[in-house]
Amino acid sequence: MDIDAPVPILQKPFASQNVATILCCNCGVPIDGTSAAGALCYDCVKLTVDISEGIQREATLHICRDCERWLQPPAHWITAAPESRELLALCLRKLRGLTKVRIIDAGFIWTEPHSRRVKVKITIQQEAFEATILQQTFEVEYVVAYHQCPDCAKSFTANTWRAVVQVRQKVPHKRTFLYLEQLILKHSAHKDTINIREVKDGLDFYYAQRNHAEKFLDFLTSVAPVRTKKSQELISVDIHTSTKSYKFSFSVELVPICKDDLVALPIKLAKQIGNIAPLTICYRVGTSINLIDPSTLQTADVSTPIYWRSPFVSLADVQELVEFVVMDIEIVGKAKGRFLPAEATVARASDLGVNDITYFTRTHLGGVLHAGDSVMGYHLTGTNFNNKHFEALEQSNAYSSSIPDVMLVKKFYARKKKNRSRNWQLKRMNKDEGEMLPKKQDQERMERDFEMFLRDVEEDTELRGTVALYKAQREKKEQEKKEKDRMEGLETASTAETEDTDGDDLPKIDMDELLDEFNELGVEDEE
């Protein structure tokens, strides 16, 4: 016998196992009787057993048409985009009975946007009988209903605010508030307000929550020298839970010193902030008051705590500026920043051709003034100021001889009555004017203040860098119209010559500094 030859192994035949089969009681198909549920085959189980029974097929979704937020019961409002995961989760939470089954898949079915219907396709699993798991897919239709949220209801109802910020400044013009408005728009600090009301000496900002008002208060403190005061009023008390409801008022007072104002400092304060001459000009108002002595170009900063410790008012404002004509000017020193010292001989524009009175003064505008230019300044000779600090200067032996006849403030550019050639524009906030509209003279004063602010933006580079300027759409349309008229030959040579020569010396803003036009909620265009 060969050792390597394969040895056959006899295998015992397995005994055939008899499976107990029965017939389906419904369709007669043979099935395993040991595992059959209810004597039904799998197909008959799917036809006779509904695992989605008890789950809603219809429901209602509530949306606020003003803020486009969805209601999540009982009283929570959420933001969800159409066919988003957040909206799908909200739809599934609205259905009763889903907690008893296992969700396999869920998704939106497309519907017409105007139909106010939302359809969701849901796939679920559940054990119908022992060792028998069924999977079923069904659709649920939601009806979208409009329901106003409490926040929007408060915004459309009077006297529903919880906190108010009252901003005031006691000056005869609105230039500071116009600048503050641009800062608010640039940083979107007004987004939480429910109403903005214009009052006599300032603005009132209303908020639905106290923390929103405190946030806006912190913004004002960071951009302007202000003094704040807080008060609260008890509205209601629940004696059972000791819950109290308050209304909060925050009073904000801006310093009554504005850009280009003539300021007479108290002599003691002038010595404390660097021994500067008490008679100065305010050239900028930021978080502090920046003053300059035009004779020596010495600058000083008066911080907010120092000012409110010993407050003072301006000696004269921009409404009292007088136009002068530069007869002669000579540079006498080195530049200090954007200021250049010079000695100038000026005469009042109204005195030209009437008398030969001229005034000699030192100025900080040597870099922009030339012989023959017009300049705005304060005429101190023969002017009576009702100010105790200026009277102290006149009686002082050290400072009475240093009071100049004229203090020049800024260069004057000859313009049209209404400048329509600006290629830029500013945004304005929508303000509630109250029950009574402004009078005609008040409206003219507001337009005059806004025009002065636009000129300050054009002339001051530092001021222009802190506000947001946008491209004017009107300028683009006018250019297209002029091009069309020029092609048709309708524009005369005299008109073209006038437009080319008008305002060559005026300061202009480059297009690179302007932002593209866009629409924003609560903001309207204003040139």
Side-chain angles (χ1 to χ4, degrees):
M1 182 177 179
D2 192 357
I3 299 178
D4 296 332
V7 178
I9 300 176
L10 298 177
Q11 297 181 357
K12 294 182 179 181
F14 292 99
S16 60
Q17 297 180 358
N18 295 325
V19 178
T21 59
I22 62 175
L23 298 180
C24 176
C25 66
N26 192 13
C27 62
V29 176
I31 58 175
D32 186 3
T34 59
S35 61
L40 293 172
C41 65
Y42 185 75
D43 294 335
C44 291
V45 169
K46 291 194 298 182
L47 291 175
T48 57
V49 178
D50 184 11
I51 61 175
S52 64
E53 185 179 3
I55 301 177
Q56 294 177 267
R57 293 297 196 274
E58 294 182 355
T60 303
L61 295 176
H62 296 278
I63 184 174
C64 178
R65 69 172 68 194
D66 298 315
C67 61
E68 296 184 352
R69 293 189 300 172
W70 301 84
L71 174 62
Q72 179 176 331
H76 186 56
W77 292 83
I78 62 173
T79 302
E83 298 189 4
S84 62
R85 297 180 60 183
E86 294 80 7
L87 184 58
L88 182 60
L90 177 63
C91 293
L92 296 179
R93 292 193 192 102
K94 292 281 291 184
L95 297 181
R96 294 190 301 269
L98 277 181
T99 57
K100 301 178 181 179
V101 297
R102 180 183 179 185
I103 302 176
I104 300 301
D105 188 22
F108 288 98
I109 300 176
W110 186 86
T111 56
E112 292 287 347
H114 62 273
S115 64
R116 294 173 58 187
R117 297 292 186 274
V118 175
K119 291 185 178 181
V120 179
K121 183 179 180 180
I122 304 175
T123 302
I124 61 174
Q125 279 185 355
Q126 190 182 19
E127 187 177 8
F129 300 99
E130 184 179 357
T132 304
I133 298 177
L134 295 183
Q135 180 171 315
Q136 188 175 348
T137 301
F138 60 95
E139 296 180 4
V140 180
E141 182 177 348
Y142 297 87
V143 179
V144 179
Y146 291 122
H147 184 76
Q148 193 175 42
C149 66
D151 295 337
C152 294
K154 287 183 179 180
S155 64
F156 288 101
T157 308
N159 301 323
T160 57
W161 52 271
R162 284 299 180 91
V164 59
V165 179
Q166 301 172 337
V167 186
R168 300 289 186 270
Q169 186 185 34
K170 298 178 181 179
V171 291
H173 56 82
K174 295 284 187 179
R175 293 170 58 212
T176 303
F177 279 101
L178 291 172
Y179 175 62
L180 186 61
E181 176 184 1
Q182 297 304 316
L183 291 179
I184 293 174
L185 289 173
K186 183 177 181 180
H187 297 88
S188 299
H190 66 299
K191 61 181 181 179
D192 295 326
T193 57
I194 60 176
N195 190 20
I196 302 175
R197 178 170 297 178
E198 189 170 4
V199 293
K200 181 181 179 182
D201 292 328
L203 297 172
D204 289 345
F205 297 85
Y206 295 91
Y207 294 89
Q209 299 181 18
R210 174 187 175 184
N211 56 348
H212 291 165
E214 292 177 345
K215 181 180 177 181
F216 182 71
L217 197 66
D218 294 338
F219 171 78
L220 294 179
T221 308
S222 64
V223 298
V226 298
R227 178 173 61 178
T228 61
K229 188 181 298 184
K230 173 187 172 183
S231 62
Q232 61 186 19
E233 179 185 0
L234 181 64
I235 303 300
S236 61
V237 180
D238 189 351
I239 61 175
H240 301 286
T241 61
S242 298
T243 303
K244 301 179 182 179
S245 178
Y246 289 93
K247 279 190 175 182
F248 300 90
S249 298
F250 299 93
S251 175
V252 180
E253 183 179 358
L254 294 170
V255 294
I257 308 296
C258 302
K259 184 176 176 290
D260 297 333
D261 282 0
L262 180 63
V263 178
L265 295 172
I267 297 177
K268 182 179 179 181
L269 178 61
K271 293 180 179 180
Q272 292 176 352
I273 60 176
N275 200 20
I276 191 175
L279 197 59
T280 58
I281 293 176
C282 176
Y283 68 93
R284 183 175 58 219
V285 177
T287 54
S288 61
I289 304 173
N290 304 121
L291 305 173
I292 185 172
D293 179 15
S295 302
T296 61
L297 298 191
Q298 182 182 356
T299 59
D301 296 341
V302 181
S303 61
T304 305
I306 294 178
Y307 176 82
W308 293 112
R309 197 178 304 146
S310 56
F312 54 88
V313 296
S314 60
L315 191 62
D317 54 28
V318 292
Q319 297 181 354
E320 303 176 31
L321 288 173
V322 180
E323 182 181 355
F324 293 90
V325 177
V326 180
M327 312 302 295
D328 187 22
I329 188 169
E330 181 181 356
I331 307 300
V332 295
K334 296 182 180 180
K336 186 177 180 182
R338 61 189 178 99
F339 303 120
L340 184 62
E343 295 180 348
T345 302
V346 297
R348 293 182 60 175
S350 59
D351 291 343
L352 295 180
V354 179
N355 53 51
D356 297 333
I357 301 177
T358 59
Y359 304 95
F360 178 81
T361 184
R362 293 177 64 91
T363 180
H364 60 293
L365 304 176
V368 296
L369 292 182
H370 304 86
D373 290 345
S374 296
V375 62
M376 304 299 290
Y378 294 104
H379 191 198
L380 303 182
T381 302
T383 305
N384 185 18
F385 296 105
N386 187 14
N387 188 285
K388 62 179 182 179
H389 302 306
F390 187 74
E391 294 176 358
L393 291 181
E394 293 179 330
Q395 298 173 3
S396 174
N397 296 328
Y399 298 106
S400 60
S401 60
S402 63
I403 299 177
D405 298 330
V406 173
M407 293 189 72
L408 304 181
V409 177
K410 60 181 180 179
K411 185 177 179 179
F412 177 72
Y413 297 92
R415 305 171 185 262
K416 299 178 183 178
K417 185 176 181 181
K418 287 187 178 180
N419 191 357
R420 297 183 179 272
S421 61
R422 291 190 177 97
N423 60 346
W424 56 277
Q425 61 184 0
L426 295 174
K427 295 288 184 180
R428 300 297 304 276
M429 289 190 302
N430 284 335
K431 296 183 288 289
D432 184 8
E433 296 177 351
E435 299 179 356
M436 298 183 62
L437 296 176
K439 299 179 180 179
K440 183 177 180 180
Q441 56 268 25
D442 294 338
Q443 187 69 25
E444 294 176 354
R445 178 178 56 83
M446 293 168 61
E447 294 178 357
R448 183 172 63 253
D449 292 341
F450 187 66
E451 178 65 25
M452 291 179 62
F453 176 70
L454 294 180
R455 295 182 181 183
D456 289 341
V457 172
E458 288 178 336
E459 298 170 5
D460 194 344
T461 307
E462 293 183 0
L463 178 63
R464 191 162 63 239
T466 58
V467 299
L469 306 179
Y470 299 92
K471 297 178 182 178
Q473 297 296 326
R474 185 185 306 173
E475 182 70 17
K476 182 178 179 181
K477 295 180 181 179
E478 289 180 356
Q479 290 179 358
E480 294 177 355
K481 183 179 180 181
K482 290 179 181 178
E483 185 67 24
K484 182 179 180 181
D485 293 343
R486 189 177 293 108
M487 294 297 294
E488 296 177 357
L490 300 178
E491 197 171 65
T492 60
S494 59
T495 305
E497 183 179 357
T498 304
E499 291 180 355
D500 293 338
T501 58
D502 184 23
D504 291 339
D505 297 335
L506 294 179
K508 295 183 179 179
I509 300 177
D510 297 334
M511 296 295 292
D512 298 338
E513 302 180 29
L514 304 180
L515 302 175
D516 292 330
E517 175 68 22
F518 68 99
N519 295 326
E520 185 179 5
L521 292 177
V523 179
E524 63 182 9
D525 297 340
E526 190 80 24
E527 184 181 356

